[in-house]
Amino acid sequence: MPSWTAFAKLQLMERYFPHLVDYDFTATMEEALDLIANGEGASENWLHDFYFGNGQRGLKELVGEEHLAEIDPREVNTVEIGKDDEGRTINVRVGKFGPYLERDDERASLADDIPPDELTVDLAVELLARAAEGPQVLGKDPETGLEVIARDGRYGPYVQLGELVDGEEKPKTASLLSSMSLDTITFEDALKLLRLPREVGTDDDGHKITAHNGRYGPYLKKGKESRSLETEDEIFTVTVERAEALFAQPKQHRRRTKPPIAELGEHPDTGAPVRVLDGRYGPYVTDGSLNATIPRGTDPKSVNLEEAVELLRERESRGPAKRARKTTKKKSSGTRKKATGTKKKASGTKKKASGTKKKASGTKKNAGGGRKRAGRDGKRAKKPPATAAEVGASMEAPAVAPDDGNGRKDAPVAPERA
């Protein structure tokens, strides 16, 4: 959702960095980057022009101290809404603690849940008038004697117990429910909100269960566990049995529950509330611990308490659903793995044959070149292939010297000496 901070940043860019948010600059930059990606442009040259400038102010100058000193923070953080019937300008100011309305010397907090497109001049005038009236004192708390005050704030309307005093602890506050407003809030409702969290009771193990009104909606808390409630009214009406049923169900993370189609009443056997809900696979009835699908073709709004209880009892008699075991799929998967293993084995045999071929080739090279010398890495260094003359000489029979009559075996002589 757009925010007033985004409007302020946009004004900053348009007024002090206009060419960086211009459509022509974006189109030109995309064309330059396409040329660079295709190898037709130099990225260093483009970055140089962008940073130091080329016919216009570069980024270095734009973020320099002289240019930053020209920026007026009040101007860029002021968004004009319009003028009232008296011609006075109403602005939204983006401050340190959030946005607020301003008209001359009047100010009013602007709740975060009001989108910018819904803030009209009439609504702004109403919020300023409400702020001018000041906080509404509803009465005094009978327990503490402090005033119960209703006022509007950044996060919406809320009630407060006592005024803020410097050096003392901040007063207790509580946000109004979505069904409440500052015009209709009563003293009794305000006290109920200020008494939250409400203690629901304790479970069988002695753990305390409390009901809260949180930022993201109503919920229950038990120790470190929490469960969401379907409606805000349940904060004040939820029972221990209903709470235990919710905690017995798995926690659903970040899932917004739909409002119930119908509230049918209490189950005659357990006393748990029976509801008709709209689920992912269609409408169903539930008592918090057991769900039963409504038959197809039946209007869920027409189901009464007796029919819902009958559906729940029938579902309970069938027992828990059993999941079918997928043995066939696992078996076929195992056969596939076995076939893959055979394929790998065959591939290994092929590699072995290839290794034998390389070994034979190495033997041939060794016969032609003799012993190889070991290199620095421990492997034998390759010797240049023998010439035709060297091969022919190695195939000739060695020459034998004439018998000198000394009775010793004649030794072969080198070819060049024969």
Side-chain angles (χ1 to χ4, degrees), residues 336-397:
R336 187 177 179 181
K337 289 182 179 179
K338 186 175 180 181
T340 306
T342 307
K343 189 175 180 180
K344 290 182 178 180
K345 186 175 181 181
S347 176
T349 307
K350 189 175 180 180
K351 290 182 179 179
K352 186 175 181 182
S354 176
T356 307
K357 187 176 180 181
K358 290 181 180 179
K359 186 175 182 182
S361 175
T363 306
K364 186 175 180 181
K365 290 182 180 179
N366 194 18
R371 178 176 294 182
K372 299 180 181 180
R373 296 182 180 179
R376 293 182 180 179
D377 57 354
K379 298 181 179 180
R380 294 183 182 273
K382 293 183 178 180
K383 183 178 180 181
T387 62
E390 292 175 344
V391 173
S394 65
M395 296 177 64
E396 295 178 357

Side-chain angles (χ1 to χ4, degrees), residues 10 64 120 124 130 162 173 188 252 262 293 325 330 351 367-368 403:
L10 182 60
T120 61
R130 187 183 298 170
T173 60
E188 290 74 17
Q252 298 177 351
T293 304
R325 297 179 62 185
K330 291 183 178 179
K351 290 182 179 179
D403 189 4

Side-chain angles (χ1 to χ4, degrees), residues 174-207:
S175 298
L176 268 63
L177 303 182
S178 58
S179 58
M180 301 176 179
S181 67
L182 291 176
D183 297 329
T184 60
I185 184 72
T186 64
F187 178 62
E188 290 74 17
D189 290 338
L191 287 179
K192 288 170 64 177
L193 293 174
L194 290 170
R195 298 289 186 267
L196 293 177
R198 165 179 166 257
E199 185 173 342
V200 179
T202 56
D203 62 6
D204 295 338
D205 298 328
H207 298 134

